[in-house]
Amino acid sequence: MHTMRPMKNRRASDGKQLASEICATPADKAIHFYIEHFVIGLPDEPKVSHELRDSKWVHSRETRDIMAAIGLAGLANLTGDKEMNTLSKHHYGLALSHMAGAIRNPGSFDVELILRATVMMAMYEVTRGRDEPVSPARTHIMGGAAILTSILPLRQGPTDGPRGLLQLCFSMLASIQGSFQYSSPEPNILIPAIPEPQCADALPETFSSWLSVSDKTVSTQDAPSADLIKIIARFVQLSSLVRSQPLLDNTPQPASIIREALAIDKALDDWQALQTGDWAITEERFNNTTPLPPDDAVFEASYHVYSNMYIARVWNHYRWARTLVNQLLLESLTKFPLTTRILLPQPTFLSLPSSPTSPAQP
């Protein structure tokens, strides 16, 4: 027999909260879920929800529907509710419609608002959790980069526009490299046994123009990130070639690939050696008197301290690229023994990035 618990101790404010929860629409609940799980407490975001009250983007038509779409997709993933999944697609369609209307009037739209909505659309494609490569999310990243490159030469462009463009380019490279492995029958291998021609020409044609714009507009403070992204782009192009072409040992092509991988590894090593000032990493260690944080937060009782989150993110991109370059060279020792015997006489050529955190994955 079920009984109802007495509510004599419930405060009047609790009743108002309950009434509010009853009246909340699925979209309102989804937006609340999005803010609580995708915004609050994350780097560069408020620590508590009331700090968002005066944020323009929270109340904007351009972002409300996409927030609802992400929240509904997340709830659908948790509960398996197909109706929520369908409703998320509806709100995603509304968000696309709002975005199209805003872009048609470039003189009046809020660039930072539109860019946040664009990133949210990419988040939606990832959150919906379908078994497919991340190309839909990449489409939105390309859209955001296109918007930034169109306004960066103008004085009214956002202050952090060049940094935003670089972050989108880093995300693009990580997305492309991740999609290689996601869609492959050998996801943990960089040199597959069977060529995967769909991996050819992975970088979009406009990518070089984005890098050109970032070179012209990046601040002196952020210049190291503009240098690094060109090196990582070289690796992603090399990875695309390796996966898409048949390779035979003791032929010119594997030798060319290994030489390029060695050159990229040296370029990454040189980049790391040049980082000083704000870009330098401080390593902190826990002593015996200090309680250790969770194992996934430190490595051998050590952790890194960065000047800001942007620099930390750039270093994270450096690490996944450096790790994968060295993995490619390691695989070459097995795949191309005759070629590597000449080019890599000693296996000690490897210089895996030392880090107190787990290697980042693209």
Side-chain angles (χ1 to χ4, degrees):
M1 179 178 178
H2 298 284
T3 58
M4 295 186 67
R5 295 182 179 180
M7 302 178 64
K8 59 184 179 180
N9 293 327
R10 185 181 290 273
R11 300 189 306 271
S13 60
D14 293 335
K16 292 180 181 178
Q17 181 179 359
L18 180 61
S20 176
E21 291 175 356
I22 292 174
C23 296
T25 66
D28 292 333
K29 293 178 181 178
I31 290 172
H32 178 76
F33 180 87
Y34 167 78
I35 290 173
E36 290 295 323
H37 292 81
F38 293 84
V39 179
I40 299 301
L42 295 182
D44 300 332
E45 298 288 3
K47 302 301 181 185
V48 290
S49 57
H50 68 77
E51 294 179 6
L52 289 170
R53 289 174 183 170
D54 297 327
S55 298
K56 182 179 178 180
W57 67 267
V58 175
H59 311 286
S60 169
R61 184 183 67 169
E62 283 79 6
T63 56
R64 295 286 290 180
D65 279 306
I66 192 58
M67 283 194 289
I70 297 172
L72 286 163
L75 287 168
N77 288 342
L78 288 175
T79 63
D81 190 320
K82 293 182 179 179
E83 291 185 2
M84 283 188 177
N85 191 41
T86 300
L87 190 56
S88 76
K89 294 176 182 178
H90 169 71
H91 282 280
Y92 177 66
L94 292 175
L96 285 174
S97 177
H98 296 323
M99 178 67 75
I103 292 176
R104 279 195 291 267
N105 298 286
S108 61
F109 70 61
D110 185 318
V111 174
E112 295 187 17
L113 188 66
I114 294 299
L115 287 175
R116 183 178 278 268
T118 302
V119 172
M120 288 180 185
M121 289 180 179
M123 291 173 63
Y124 170 78
E125 296 291 357
V126 176
T127 305
R128 65 179 182 163
R130 293 179 58 184
D131 295 329
E132 61 182 25
V134 292
S135 54
R138 201 180 309 145
T139 299
H140 294 303
I141 294 174
M142 292 177 65
I147 292 172
L148 271 175
T149 53
S150 70
I151 59 94
L152 274 178
L154 305 180
R155 292 185 178 180
Q156 60 265 36
T159 303
D160 292 331
R163 178 180 287 189
L165 178 60
L166 284 166
Q167 289 191 98
L168 289 172
C169 288
F170 277 118
S171 297
M172 172 69 71
L173 293 175
S175 170
I176 291 171
Q177 183 62 40
S179 71
F180 291 162
Q181 296 168 250
Y182 182 97
S183 59
S184 173
E186 302 174 274
N188 297 319
I189 301 297
L190 290 179
I191 309 176
I194 300 174
E196 301 169 359
Q198 72 274 13
C199 295
D201 302 321
L203 291 181
E205 294 181 0
T206 53
F207 192 82
S208 60
S209 67
W210 301 343
L211 295 187
S212 177
V213 170
S214 69
D215 277 340
K216 295 174 182 176
T217 58
V218 71
S219 66
T220 303
Q221 168 69 14
D222 291 346
S225 56
D227 295 333
L228 177 64
I229 199 164
K230 290 190 280 288
I231 304 172
I232 297 180
R234 284 175 62 189
F235 169 71
V236 173
Q237 288 177 310
L238 180 66
S239 181
S240 170
L241 175 65
V242 169
R243 300 195 80 91
S244 61
Q245 301 291 323
L247 301 172
L248 297 176
D249 192 14
N250 205 25
T251 61
Q253 195 167 27
S256 176
I257 287 170
I258 292 170
R259 289 191 185 97
E260 175 66 359
L262 287 169
I264 293 171
D265 187 62
K266 183 179 185 305
L268 288 169
D269 190 58
D270 291 344
W271 182 89
Q272 179 185 21
L274 288 172
Q275 303 319 310
T276 58
D278 288 343
W279 282 85
I281 299 173
T282 302
E283 183 172 320
E284 300 286 351
R285 296 188 62 84
F286 286 89
N287 54 43
N288 296 331
T289 62
T290 307
L292 285 175
D295 290 340
D296 58 356
V298 297
F299 179 74
E300 295 182 348
S302 300
Y303 63 95
H304 284 165
V305 177
Y306 303 90
S307 300
N308 57 56
M309 282 304 304
Y310 176 73
I311 290 175
R313 292 188 183 110
V314 172
W315 273 101
N316 201 39
H317 286 293
Y318 160 84
R319 287 198 177 86
W320 71 253
R322 190 78 187 273
T323 299
L324 292 182
V325 170
N326 280 273
Q327 181 180 334
L328 178 61
L329 290 168
L330 274 172
E331 290 182 20
S332 297
L333 290 169
T334 303
K335 299 278 187 178
F336 315 119
L338 297 177
T339 305
T340 55
R341 189 177 302 168
I342 300 171
L343 297 176
L344 306 174
Q346 298 178 356
T348 54
F349 68 91
L350 295 176
S351 52
L352 289 169
S354 59
S355 168
T357 57
S358 301
Q361 293 298 320

